[in-house]
Amino acid sequence: MAVIEGRNLRKTYTLSRRNEVRALRGVDVSIEAGELVAIMGPSGSGKSTLMHLIGLLHSPDQDHGPAPELSLGGRDATRMSDGARTRIRAREMGFVFQQFNLVPTLTAVENVMLAGEYAGLGRRQARERAIARLTTVGLAERATHRPSELSGGEQQRVAIARALVNDPALVLADEPTGNLDSHRSAELLGLIRKLNREHGQTFVLVTHDAEVGAACDRIIRMRDGLVQAMELVREPTPDDVGEAAA
Amino acid sequence: MSLLRNLARRRLRTALTVTGITIGIWALVVFGSMANKISAIVAIGSDYYAGKIVVTDKSGGLDGDSPMAIALVDDIAAIGGVAAAVPGVSTLLDPASNSGISMPDMVVGALPGADHGKNMYDARVAQGRALTAEDADSLVAVLGSDLARKLGKGVGDTVEIRGMAFEVVGILEPTLTAPDTTAIVPLAAAQAIYLGDLPPVVRENVRADQLATDITVYPDAGTDVEALAARIEAAIPNASAMTGAEFDGVVGSSVAIFNAIIVGVALISLIVGGLSVINTMAMSVAERTREIGIKRAIGGSRARVIRELVSEAGLIGLLGGLLGLGLGAVVVYLANEAGRGSGMALFLLTPQTAIFAVLFSTILGVVAGIIPAWSAARLDPVAALRYE
Ligand SMILES: Nc1ncnc2c1ncn2[C@@H]1O[C@H](COP(=O)(O)OP(=O)(O)O)[C@@H](O)[C@H]1O
Ligand SMILES: [Mg+2]
């Protein structure tokens, strides 16, 4: 079953009356439950923009061309209110960004708790879950450190713990390894791979990095605001699909 | 918890903003306490003047202590509509220690019973008794509460006033106003003291029992008090007849000026404090744009962003309010302590004023925080994340 179904997705940024950037020019995309998908392409090709639409951070253009469709687990997301989209982001999605991912005044565990509280957990429950997720990413001992006391790789692992705290069906990551050296990057990727296999969560990774792409199930290649190609890296095993459905 | 951490992020800026509010609230507390005091004095004065006319000699000085001939009492009593006319004497307890700004200690001569029960104002006696008609020729005194404390005298003690020894027979309850620093003695004794105050030329030509400084007139029931006051002023040369309504009018306008000052102080602190909170919060929002973007992206609602920032601004206001109140209370206390020695305490810090000051500054902080918080909540999360 598809977690995300998008059709005719367009996004134009208007910088001034004369200066428009057509970041997405009509994209169809479908992401299956349990998939680990990479979105790749040159800088400026619209990868982040696509992720922002999927993540309900922006809405697709409605005012020109064929009507866009965006459904999330069967719900039409094209005309949702800000409140409804915020709620879905809080409860059903996890986000990881390239950098400056964490709130600097909060400790690692408080950063993770934040997402739990946004999803409606009480403080105590949020804390328990946050510690469990920090343990999953191997950072339990760093729980009370501030972001400034953590390395880049550790910060990204905290961000992943935060993205996972509500067991979301969909985790969206925009260049999560962009600021890491190849060793840290491989480590983080291994963790994502493992979570995807073990928990059947769907991951969409925006990346530049061919090695990251190669570790995914599928690559969506973008160019100039369009999907240029879909590449199946490996067939999902019946085992994966079974886990995802469970 | 994270609220305090956010405030601690820019300690100096937070401290400066809090200081700005502190100063405004401090001024509000001090001026407000002064206004409370004046209102209390006015209320007592208004009670005192209610239903009577106080006649003084208008050629006199500020204290109303220029002499009037006691014979005028009979002239006034003969005017139609006057039920009773009672002479009184009030003069400084100790002419050498006139403090100028605050209420000086006074000696007041009273003629108990002469009002035929018309006087509705009574300063209540806390200990001992009030003066009676039988005291007319004795050297007895009823002391105001502050004066008794200052002199260290109680009922039964002897107090010396201008070389005369008076037995203290009563102590008044505190009124927070003029009676607190007054010694009430029989009229004859006050007249003797007052005679000594007069210049030698005058002194040689009058007798003590011919003197008064004021004559209190009690109108007949149903008499138009203002019209009666006018008749008295017409009949008696140099007389100034003050009615309750006139007192309220004269004093009311000075109270109005004072209240205007307080409103002015409140407005200035509102504008200065409000602007500095807006500025501080706008800077905080700008610095935290990325962080706000993250919070919104991972599912923090607009309401939540607003709530966090508004509480932060409210906390700044609350801190400023508490500090301002604390400093104001210290100043009021010290000034009152200093004032007690020479005369009256000038300030009255009431619980209402204290609560108002803190509420005012907290609400000020909250309201000033709403604007930057609102704009933060309207940020596009994606743009906020990209913000450099
Ligand atoms: N908020 C924005 N305002 C204006 N232009 C934008 C904005 N976001 C992205 N763009 C432009 O849209 C195009 C696609 O950007 P993006 O989706 O970020 O590409 P990618 O992530 O593949 O590098 C780029 O030309 C970029 O400059
Ligand atoms: Mg990008």
Side-chain angles (χ1 to χ4, degrees):
Chain A
M1 200 194 81
V3 235
I4 298 283
E5 283 281 2
R7 228 165 287 292
N8 303 321
L9 300 179
R10 292 177 312 276
K11 185 73 186 174
T12 306
Y13 296 107
T14 308
L15 301 172
S16 65
R17 206 184 306 157
R18 297 262 172 101
N19 194 355
E20 289 187 338
V21 181
R22 298 176 67 196
L24 286 186
R25 300 191 293 155
V27 166
D28 294 350
V29 67
S30 170
I31 290 162
E32 297 296 317
E35 258 194 312
L36 172 52
V37 183
I39 302 178
M40 298 190 69
S43 179
S45 58
K47 306 183 294 293
S48 296
T49 303
L50 179 58
M51 199 202 90
H52 296 149
L53 293 191
I54 294 173
L56 305 186
L57 288 163
H58 274 164
S59 298
D61 293 349
Q62 306 267 8
D63 51 357
H64 60 103
E69 294 167 25
L70 181 61
S71 95
L72 233 127
R75 285 160 303 178
D76 179 11
T78 52
R79 293 187 182 273
M80 274 182 188
S81 71
D82 179 79
R85 288 189 280 137
T86 302
R87 224 161 13 252
I88 291 179
R89 288 203 302 276
R91 290 165 195 260
E92 301 175 28
M93 294 181 182
F95 287 88
V96 181
F97 299 96
Q98 180 171 352
Q99 55 180 343
F100 305 114
N101 239 322
L102 305 176
V103 177
T105 46
L106 300 181
T107 62
V109 67
E110 287 166 348
N111 265 285
V112 180
M113 285 168 68
L114 204 56
E117 287 174 22
Y118 290 163
L121 297 184
R123 274 194 86 75
R124 175 186 302 224
Q125 207 187 350
R127 177 171 288 274
E128 277 170 18
R129 286 233 215 148
I131 288 172
R133 295 304 179 274
L134 282 174
T135 308
T136 306
V137 301
L139 277 180
E141 304 88 69
R142 303 271 172 160
T144 58
H145 288 236
R146 300 268 177 96
S148 58
E149 298 157 358
L150 299 172
S151 73
E154 287 170 331
Q155 289 185 33
Q156 287 307 65
R157 275 147 74 193
V158 174
I160 289 190
R162 186 185 62 199
L164 296 175
V165 75
N166 299 309
D167 295 324
L170 180 62
V171 178
L172 301 173
D174 194 353
E175 314 241 12
T177 61
N179 269 11
L180 305 181
D181 62 36
S182 60
H183 175 66
R184 297 280 169 216
S185 160
E187 228 175 55
L188 192 75
L189 190 62
L191 177 66
I192 289 174
R193 182 84 256 172
K194 178 165 165 274
L195 291 164
N196 168 256
R197 287 289 156 261
E198 288 177 3
H199 301 278
Q201 274 159 318
T202 312
F203 278 80
V204 178
L205 309 183
V206 170
T207 185
H208 261 106
D209 187 340
E211 281 182 41
V212 174
C216 293
D217 300 332
R218 188 157 60 105
I219 298 173
I220 299 174
R221 287 206 187 273
M222 298 197 59
R223 179 162 215 107
D224 296 335
L226 290 170
V227 173
Q228 192 188 30
M230 300 268 197
E231 283 170 31
L232 225 49
V233 178
R234 50 173 281 244
E235 292 289 343
T237 62
D239 202 30
D240 296 342
V241 176
E243 275 174 4
Chain B
M1 163 199 70
S2 63
L3 258 183
L4 288 176
R5 270 188 238 161
N6 277 331
L7 288 182
R9 259 198 238 194
R10 288 278 184 269
R11 273 171 227 282
L12 179 63
R13 192 173 66 203
T14 303
L16 288 175
T17 310
V18 169
T19 306
I21 296 176
T22 300
I23 292 169
I25 296 301
W26 173 82
L28 197 63
V29 166
V30 170
F31 277 92
S33 300
M34 213 183 253
N36 290 339
K37 184 71 190 194
I38 287 175
S39 300
I41 293 170
V42 168
I44 298 236
S46 185
D47 276 359
Y48 176 78
Y49 278 99
K52 52 176 103 155
I53 301 170
V54 176
V55 182
T56 51
D57 187 312
K58 89 180 140 194
S59 59
L62 283 174
D63 292 331
D65 58 356
S66 57
M68 298 176 88
I70 210 137
L72 291 177
V73 172
D74 295 332
D75 297 347
I76 290 172
I79 295 172
V82 175
V86 181
V89 165
S90 71
T91 188
L92 293 172
L93 184 87
D94 177 5
S97 75
N98 190 354
S99 61
I101 47 160
S102 59
M103 301 254 187
D105 298 339
M106 299 293 287
V107 180
V108 171
L111 204 51
D115 61 333
H116 304 297
K118 292 270 186 184
N119 191 2
M120 300 317 288
Y121 175 80
D122 72 313
R124 265 177 270 160
V125 176
Q127 296 162 38
R129 60 174 181 84
L131 296 186
T132 66
E134 282 78 64
D135 294 321
D137 300 319
S138 335
L139 291 183
V140 292
V142 173
L143 301 183
S145 57
D146 281 348
L147 186 59
R149 177 148 29 101
K150 188 167 120 186
L151 299 174
K153 300 292 182 188
V155 173
D157 291 346
T158 300
V159 61
E160 193 178 300
I161 300 173
R162 309 272 200 104
M164 283 186 268
F166 289 83
E167 185 199 344
V168 177
V169 295
I171 311 280
L172 295 178
E173 278 185 2
T175 62
L176 305 177
T177 55
D180 292 357
T181 57
T182 296
I184 303 170
V185 301
L187 183 64
Q191 285 170 322
I193 291 170
Y194 184 53
L195 182 68
D197 289 346
L198 294 175
V201 248
V202 185
R203 203 186 303 160
E204 277 154 24
N205 294 309
V206 293
R207 291 200 327 267
D209 63 5
Q210 293 174 321
L211 290 171
T213 55
D214 50 76
I215 297 168
T216 305
V217 175
Y218 300 93
D220 279 326
T223 305
D224 178 342
V225 178
E226 300 304 317
L228 176 56
R231 285 203 297 280
I232 293 171
E233 285 184 345
I236 313 292
N238 272 341
S240 156
M242 172 92 101
T243 64
E246 257 182 281
F247 173 85
D248 290 352
V250 169
V251 174
S253 65
S254 58
V255 170
I257 290 171
F258 222 84
N259 286 341
I261 292 175
I262 290 155
V263 170
V265 168
L267 273 179
I268 290 169
S269 67
L270 179 91
I271 293 168
V272 173
L275 287 178
S276 68
V277 173
I278 291 175
N279 179 54
T280 296
M281 292 313 295
M283 283 168 80
S284 297
V285 166
E287 284 166 5
R288 283 186 242 164
T289 299
R290 229 183 246 282
E291 177 185 324
I292 291 163
I294 293 268
K295 287 180 170 174
R296 292 281 288 122
I298 68 168
S301 63
R302 283 183 175 154
R304 202 162 172 132
V305 169
I306 290 177
R307 214 183 319 136
E308 280 178 17
L309 291 168
V310 163
S311 337
E312 211 173 301
L315 189 60
I316 290 177
L318 176 66
L319 284 177
L322 289 174
L323 281 174
L325 173 61
L327 283 181
V330 166
V331 166
V332 163
Y333 175 79
L334 292 179
N336 279 348
E337 283 303 299
R340 265 189 225 294
S342 57
M344 293 276 298
L346 272 175
F347 302 91
L348 179 62
L349 179 52
T350 60
Q352 287 93 319
T353 303
I355 291 166
F356 174 80
V358 175
L359 268 186
F360 177 80
S361 64
T362 307
I363 291 170
L364 176 73
V366 166
V367 170
I370 287 173
I371 302 160
W374 180 252
S375 67
R378 304 292 306 177
L379 283 174
D380 170 15
V382 173
L385 279 168
R386 290 164 56 108
Y387 182 86
E388 297 298 326

